[in-house]
Amino acid sequence: MINVPKGTKDMLPADSCKWQAVEAAAHKTARLYNAKQIRTPVFESADLFLRSVGESSDIVNEEMYVFEDKGGRKMALRPEGTAGVVRSFIENNLGETLPVKTYYIESVYRYEQPQAGRYREHFQFGSEYFGSDKPEFDVELISMAYDFLREIGFENLTLKINSIGCPTCRAEYNKALRAFLRDNINALCGDCRRRAEVNPLRALDCKVPACRKIYEKAPNISDYLCEECKAHHAAVIDGLTRVGIKHEVDCKLVRGLDYYTRTVFEINDGGPALVGGGRYDGLCEGLGGKPMPCVGFGCGIERLLAAADARGINFESHKPVVFVAAQCERACGECSRIVRVLRNAGVSAECDLMGKSLKAQFKYADRQGFKYVITLGESELDSGVYCIKRMADGKTQEIHADSICVDMGRILWQE
Ligand code: HAM
């Protein structure tokens, strides 16, 4: 038997209502913010991710699915959504009228050690805004992520936010951080020893408890921000307060992707981050486009569903409405006709496709959660008057073959 690949999951029919509810909330929230959907290929040139997410990041360095295609090109399954959207923005010259607000719902691939909330394929609802370096841009993007989580039903959200400055102030901070890491080098894990030289900021993202303890005493980037970055950060914080979004400044929040400048943030529900994002003012230019200030977020849908389950958030499953049961062979054709008429009138309907007995058809209708069952036998076919039964309480009514939609509308209206 061939099983699902390690670190991946099937979305099974029983869970489809949850996924559909999440996607509907994503589309709804995006529409409220006038963001437009974008779809980019699941694979891109590996170079795109090397030049954006960063060669020294874990995501690219250790977790990226890289392969050579038949033309000898080095390709990669996307390990995140931002780079492909930025590539498309530049390639399709999307920036004629700014701002441009995009969103996407897509799969992402990372070769990670699978564990709860960490998969090799996961899905993200994400958004990328192009065009403004104003703090209001950050605030609006963050409120979109926040409103989306509220729309799902989360109430106790924590927004952690920091500024990691621009390349100029970060260079100063990197010097101080590197010196700190060297002073503590013997107590650090192997990865952090390497990070100390290659990309010191990345060390702060380490999950090893001993390292985290040491980093509590590391220098804070907030003490190294230049005047412009400091003012920008303060204005973002002000803006969040003004729109009523609770936040905590976390001076050690750095995030694991290299393209960020200034604002970085994460939103959680008491557990691991559901949403991660930030500003990336240098990425467009770095990928060959015009200078373009941008900000974006990504939300992991599997993590969101797990957190929603833990919170008891209920995604109402869609209940089918009418099952049309055949009591005799002759009724089957009429059942199919009625089902089609009802569907065309917008009422979800089904009839037996398996040759089940009447009893088994009722059992099936009950298990599937149908609200009503119409039964057709010889006498109903002859009279054109059918009996419709409400499954919840067994109440029956008459319904007529030649006015089935009108009668059904009346019954549903009276519910
Ligand atoms: P990220 O923090 O790497 O950021 O991922 C965003 C979200 O995806 C995480 O907060 C988490 O919910 C989910 N996630 C990440 N890795 C996994 C995994 N292995 N399994 C399940 N869920 C996962 C980005 O990807 C950036 N592109 C976000 C962004 C957009 N920044 C600016 N624009």
Side-chain angles (χ1 to χ4, degrees):
M1 188 171 112
I2 299 173
N3 293 325
V4 73
K6 188 172 171 186
T8 69
K9 290 205 293 193
D10 297 317
M11 184 203 79
L12 298 174
D15 287 332
S16 62
C17 63
K18 298 182 183 178
W19 282 83
Q20 285 168 357
V22 170
E23 289 178 22
H27 291 300
K28 179 178 169 190
T29 312
R31 210 167 26 246
L32 290 174
Y33 281 78
N34 193 27
K36 302 280 188 317
Q37 191 169 11
I38 184 164
R39 275 187 203 162
T40 60
V42 79
F43 61 90
E44 300 265 5
S45 164
D47 251 2
L48 174 67
F49 305 111
L50 258 68
R51 286 171 53 187
S52 54
V53 180
E55 255 171 292
S56 65
S57 67
D58 289 353
I59 293 175
V60 163
N61 203 23
E62 290 166 24
E63 297 166 3
M64 198 154 75
Y65 281 85
V66 184
F67 62 97
E68 201 176 279
D69 73 6
K70 289 191 176 165
R73 300 169 200 90
K74 197 175 165 199
M75 311 302 289
L77 297 185
R78 62 180 166 229
E80 60 100 50
T82 311
V85 174
V86 173
R87 191 238 349 108
S88 177
F89 176 87
I90 300 168
E91 193 171 339
N92 296 296
N93 202 17
L94 298 183
E96 274 179 2
T97 308
L98 294 172
V100 170
K101 300 177 181 180
T102 66
Y103 77 99
Y104 48 87
I105 300 172
E106 65 184 25
S107 57
V108 169
Y109 300 85
R110 297 182 188 176
Y111 194 83
E112 300 204 67
Q113 218 28 58
Q115 48 181 280
R118 210 165 269 283
Y119 304 102
R120 291 187 176 169
E121 178 189 66
H122 73 274
F123 286 76
Q124 286 190 10
F125 162 47
S127 178
E128 313 295 343
Y129 278 21
F130 296 80
S132 173
D133 60 5
K134 287 186 175 301
E136 291 79 5
F137 217 44
D138 310 49
V139 173
E140 165 150 332
L141 185 282
I142 293 171
S143 13
M144 178 170 165
Y146 204 85
D147 286 352
F148 164 67
L149 294 176
R150 295 290 300 258
E151 175 70 24
I152 297 289
F154 290 102
E155 282 169 0
N156 295 311
L157 295 167
T158 304
L159 165 67
K160 291 189 175 173
I161 187 159
N162 193 19
S163 172
I164 56 167
C166 60
T168 317
C169 46
R170 199 168 334 137
E172 281 307 301
Y173 176 64
N174 272 342
K175 271 192 222 159
L177 185 58
R178 193 171 274 130
F180 172 86
L181 295 173
R182 282 185 185 144
D183 287 347
N184 291 279
I185 201 87
N186 293 331
L188 302 182
C189 72
D191 282 341
C192 282
R193 286 182 201 177
R194 185 175 49 82
R195 289 169 184 144
E197 294 312 315
V198 189
N199 193 342
L201 204 63
R202 200 71 333 112
L204 298 184
D205 212 24
C206 183
K207 303 288 178 279
V208 175
C211 293
R212 297 196 72 81
K213 186 93 196 112
I214 293 168
Y215 300 148
E216 283 172 13
K217 297 206 175 71
N220 282 331
I221 182 117
S222 48
D223 297 328
Y224 292 80
L225 294 182
C226 63
E227 287 311 313
E228 287 86 356
C229 287
K230 218 183 270 177
H232 187 273
H233 184 48
V236 173
I237 300 296
D238 253 17
L240 289 170
T241 310
R242 216 171 319 118
V243 298
I245 295 181
K246 273 197 295 172
H247 49 272
E248 285 172 18
V249 175
D250 177 349
C251 298
K252 296 283 175 354
L253 180 68
V254 291
R255 309 235 334 111
L257 301 93
D258 278 358
Y259 47 62
Y260 292 120
T261 51
R262 294 188 165 172
T263 306
V264 287
F265 67 93
E266 287 183 354
I267 309 177
N268 70 62
D269 175 47
L274 301 174
V275 166
R279 192 168 258 291
Y280 49 93
D281 291 345
L283 183 55
C284 269
E285 200 176 2
L287 291 176
K290 292 186 201 140
M292 182 65 61
C294 302
V295 59
F297 76 81
C299 173
I301 298 181
E302 290 80 358
R303 276 198 205 170
L304 176 142
L305 287 174
D309 262 355
R311 288 273 168 229
I313 292 172
N314 199 7
F315 296 95
E316 236 340 88
S317 168
H318 158 78
K319 287 238 184 291
V321 181
V322 183
F323 189 85
V324 188
Q327 204 171 11
C328 58
E329 190 67 32
R330 193 159 72 91
C332 292
E334 177 62 359
C335 287
S336 305
R337 188 191 71 82
I338 294 176
V339 158
R340 183 131 197 279
V341 167
L342 288 171
R343 286 175 184 159
N344 285 340
V347 178
S348 69
E350 199 182 359
C351 61
D352 178 47
L353 301 171
M354 305 291 293
K356 287 187 166 86
S357 68
L358 186 64
K359 193 173 164 207
Q361 289 178 62
F362 263 88
K363 195 167 166 195
Y364 172 83
D366 191 38
R367 281 194 160 177
Q368 291 286 315
F370 278 92
K371 289 187 189 157
Y372 296 94
V373 176
I374 300 175
T375 310
L376 296 194
E378 297 288 355
S379 63
E380 285 83 4
L381 287 175
D382 293 342
S383 67
V385 181
Y386 310 150
C387 169
I388 181 165
K389 179 175 176 181
R390 186 158 69 188
M391 297 298 274
D393 56 6
K395 183 182 169 205
T396 57
Q397 297 183 60
E398 281 185 352
I399 190 164
H400 298 86
D402 50 7
S403 58
I404 199 132
C405 287
V406 178
D407 292 354
M408 198 63 230
R410 177 180 42 80
I411 291 170
L412 292 173
W413 176 250
Q414 286 167 352
E415 257 187 6

